[in-house]
Amino acid sequence: MPIDIATALRDGSARLRAAGQSAPRLEAELLLGAVTGRTRAGLLAWSDQPLRAAAAARYAALVARRAAGEPLAYLTGRQAFRGLELMVGPAVLIPRPETELLVDLALARLPATPLRLADLGTGSGAIAIALALARPAWTLLAVERSAAALALAIANAHRLGAARLLPLQGDWLCAIGPGSLDALVANPPYVRAGDPHLRQGDLRFEPGAALVAGADGLAAIRAILAQARRCLRPGGWLALEHGWDQGSAVRALARRAGLRQVVTHRDFAGHGRVTSGWCP
């Protein structure tokens, strides 16, 4: 016998609550919205409408996967970032609010005049797209090693109208010419291999190559800094996201790479999250 929307939401909420999810009703609504194509308001307005068997089965499967801990963003295929709705999937990290600091810093410290800027390890394209939309005069290189991730970034750029975003498949700065950038930003892998957090929460499902960077978590940052001055023009700017306890180490690496005015910026939680510097 078919169930209606209200019953599906009630049952889904109960399953998610029992699994320990903190916002079971909201998540049930988002999952059912992903299945039916309805907004949360639409689900409430049509709460007595029966669900087709196929939709009910798909919804039940999504609820079960969420109850098992799979990230909500992967199940709905969507994640918000600075007011943008991005398509996401298991090939990319889920964009997080603390990464918005990278965008805010770039917008605050760089002029709105034409610039050439690279977003390294672009993933879903969140940083590059946000910058491209906020600064139409800038040209954004969205650099990504993973073909699957780059395809998702391209799809997001097209859907959101980021016309001046140029996708480039490559490993960090290897495919970028000398002295060709005014700035570069990156949210590279910075988790230490074996970190117990990798076995917890959303991190269990996210791509390990986008999370882990060697025994101390700094391998990717070292690789970027080793190439940064070759690619940046004189007066160019660099900003790298890193772990909350890595600021001192990243500042030392940036100074060793020849950057000047190196500083670590705090995120909304008060943690040192992004280190920036200028090329002499």
Side-chain angles (χ1 to χ4, degrees), residues 2 8 29-31 78 92 94 96 111 129 179 203-204 217 239 243:
E29 291 175 356
L30 292 173
L31 291 173
R78 296 288 188 273
V92 301
I94 300 167
R96 289 169 169 80
I129 292 169
L203 297 187
R204 294 173 294 162

Side-chain angles (χ1 to χ4, degrees), residues 100-113:
E100 296 182 6
L101 177 59
L102 266 178
V103 177
D104 295 338
L105 288 169
L107 295 178
R109 281 159 175 73
L110 299 172
T113 52

Side-chain angles (χ1 to χ4, degrees), residues 8 21 42 60 128 139 193 198 206 215 252 257 279:
Q21 299 301 336
T139 297
L198 294 168
E206 295 184 272
C279 189

Side-chain angles (χ1 to χ4, degrees), residues 120-139:
L120 308 180
T122 196
S124 65
I127 297 167
I129 292 169
L131 290 173
L133 294 176
R135 293 288 186 267
W138 292 2
T139 297

